[in-house]
């Protein structure tokens, strides 16, 4: 799994490229938390366009980052969500705390 | 279940085998002419069950996980077994959001995902003996009605 970053004002856009399961979650968590603290990130957008696979381990990763970001008054959203990942997010009630948008500009507008 | 095709794999309870297991099952299922959605469903369910054996069944020790698949008509039966610590209360474990490991950022949604993505699921577990998950997926593509 590769992560690509783009910073727009205080919003970090994280693009996932690859598969997010329990195995890859460990490294992703560490890398993300480092980047978030180094770059003084307020809001977070997860771009799932290139996410090839995700199971419920991905929920843990997203909710974990949401907890840290929301403590400091920031917002988290997801964009380009595939049908199967959308199903998992709905099961977990993720959209009660995180918003979903079609693309980057829509998500940035709501930050 | 009677079957026309069968396969079984066995591997160490190491997290790098999670991807291996779901890819093997998906490629075995390809003879059922599945849709992309059906393939994603079974990969996700297998990933959940195998991950559970690794992190909950064996925790920090290493043991063996087996995955058995049987095809009967348009049905695929997948059995995932470990000889780990077992589940004390299966009904409670299967509740959405229940997890015994919140400190590891587990979401407690594994069983709910398996139930949603597969047509049938049965869980057999005994403390100190291990856990067996039996799941069935019916593939629509081979329904010639
Ligand atoms: N193979 C297993 N061996 C022992 N315990 C298990 C096993 N599978 C599941 N469990 C128990 O069931 C609970 C719920 O599993 P699941 O729904 O996948 O959520 P999560 O993995 O996020 O905790 C786990 O927290 C664990 O206590
Ligand atoms: Mg699980």
């Amino acid at each position: 799994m590769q992560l690509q970053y783009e910073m727009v004002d205080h919003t970090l856009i994280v693009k996932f490229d690859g598969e997010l399961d329990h195995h890859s979650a460990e490294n992703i968590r560490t890398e993300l938390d480092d980047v978030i603290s180094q770059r003084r990130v307020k809001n977070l957008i997860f771009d799932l366009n290139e996410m090839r696979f995700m199971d419920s381990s991905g929920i843990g990763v997203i909710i974990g980052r949401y907890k840290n970001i929301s403590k400091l008054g920031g917002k988290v959203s997801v964009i380009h969500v595939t049908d199967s990942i959308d199903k998992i997010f709905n099961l977990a009630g993720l959209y009660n705390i995180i918003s979903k948008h079609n693309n980057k500009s829509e998500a940035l507008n709501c930050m | 279940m009677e079957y026309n095709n069968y396969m079984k794999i066995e591997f160490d309870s190491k997290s790098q085998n999670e991807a291996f297991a779901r890819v093997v099952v998906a490629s075995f299922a390809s003879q059922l002419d599945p849709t992309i959605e059906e393939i994603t469903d079974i990969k996700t369910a297998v990933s959940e069950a195998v991950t559970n054996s690794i992190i909950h069944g064996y925790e920090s020790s290493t043991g063996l996980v087996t995955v058995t698949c049987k095809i009967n008509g348009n049905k695929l039966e997948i059995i995932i077994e470990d000889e780990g610590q077992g589940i004390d209360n299966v009904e409670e474990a299967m509740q959405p959001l229940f997890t015994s490991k919140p400190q590891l950022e587990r979401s407690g949604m594994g069983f709910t995902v398996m139930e949603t993505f597969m047509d049938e699921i049965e869980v057999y577990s005994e403390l100190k003996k291990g856990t067996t998950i039996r799941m069935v997926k019916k593939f629509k593509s081979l329904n010639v009605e």
Side-chain angles (χ1 to χ4, degrees):
Chain A
M1 166 77 96
Q2 299 268 61
L3 303 181
Q4 286 162 35
Y5 304 101
E6 184 190 347
M7 195 79 185
V8 180
D9 297 324
H10 295 293
T11 300
L12 179 71
I13 301 146
V14 182
K15 195 168 185 175
F16 288 108
D17 186 349
E19 309 203 334
L20 177 48
D21 61 7
H22 157 252
H23 177 68
S24 59
E26 199 69 43
N27 291 332
I28 288 168
R29 220 175 261 139
T30 322
E31 182 180 327
L32 266 179
D33 287 347
D34 282 353
V35 173
I36 289 169
S37 61
Q38 279 161 18
R39 301 204 192 174
R40 296 177 48 221
V41 172
K42 180 160 187 265
N43 307 307
L44 202 52
I45 297 172
F46 291 112
D47 182 348
L48 309 186
N49 203 32
E50 308 294 325
M51 183 96 101
R52 305 272 167 246
F53 175 84
M54 192 198 86
D55 64 20
S56 73
S57 305
I59 303 277
V61 170
I62 291 176
I63 293 182
R65 307 299 72 68
Y66 165 80
K67 283 183 181 157
N68 300 339
I69 291 281
S70 64
K71 254 184 243 158
L72 301 167
K75 290 185 190 167
V76 178
S77 60
V78 287
I79 59 174
H80 300 131
V81 183
T82 64
D83 289 349
S84 131
I85 295 178
D86 195 50
K87 213 149 100 179
I88 298 176
F89 285 168
N90 274 312
L91 287 175
L94 195 81
Y95 297 132
N96 295 324
I97 55 174
I98 283 166
S99 56
K100 175 174 70 173
H101 298 283
N102 294 318
N103 53 50
K104 194 163 77 183
S105 52
E106 273 183 32
L108 282 168
N109 274 335
C110 294
M111 285 300 169
Chain B
M1 171 162 134
E2 279 181 41
Y3 57 87
N4 351 94
N5 201 358
Y6 168 96
M7 76 91 178
K8 181 171 182 174
I9 53 170
E10 184 178 60
F11 49 87
D12 272 343
S13 60
K14 295 189 186 264
S15 65
Q16 53 269 48
N17 291 329
E18 291 156 8
F20 166 72
R22 62 181 181 257
V23 168
V24 169
V25 174
S27 86
F28 186 71
S30 67
Q31 59 198 287
L32 288 163
D33 197 16
T35 62
I36 291 172
E37 188 188 351
E38 287 167 335
I39 282 291
T40 307
D41 289 353
I42 59 169
K43 277 173 105 173
T44 312
V46 168
S47 196
E48 296 294 351
V50 168
T51 300
N52 281 351
S53 291
I54 293 172
I55 60 182
H56 304 298
Y58 294 113
E59 295 196 296
S60 46
S61 63
T62 304
L64 292 172
V65 180
T66 64
V67 177
T68 309
C69 291
K70 295 171 189 169
I71 288 174
N72 182 8
N74 68 337
K75 280 190 195 160
L76 173 68
E77 179 184 38
I78 307 170
I79 298 163
I80 292 154
E81 285 169 281
D82 66 67
E83 297 186 341
Q85 65 169 33
I87 305 172
D88 189 22
N89 183 339
V90 171
E91 206 184 318
E92 176 188 54
M94 292 183 78
Q95 294 296 315
L97 304 175
F98 175 87
T99 180
S100 54
K101 294 200 163 40
Q103 75 282 7
L104 294 185
E105 289 192 351
R106 301 308 306 165
S107 61
M109 292 304 293
F111 276 124
T112 309
V113 166
M114 290 182 248
E115 278 180 315
T116 309
F117 284 49
M118 301 294 285
D119 294 297
E120 292 171 32
I121 176 170
E122 286 162 37
V123 180
Y124 311 93
S125 195
E126 209 178 314
L127 276 182
K128 307 268 180 281
K129 293 254 168 69
T131 301
T132 300
I133 311 290
R134 179 186 169 273
M135 302 185 281
V136 177
K137 182 84 176 169
K138 290 184 193 113
F139 289 82
K140 296 184 181 65
S141 33
L142 287 187
N143 277 348
V144 265
E145 275 128 4

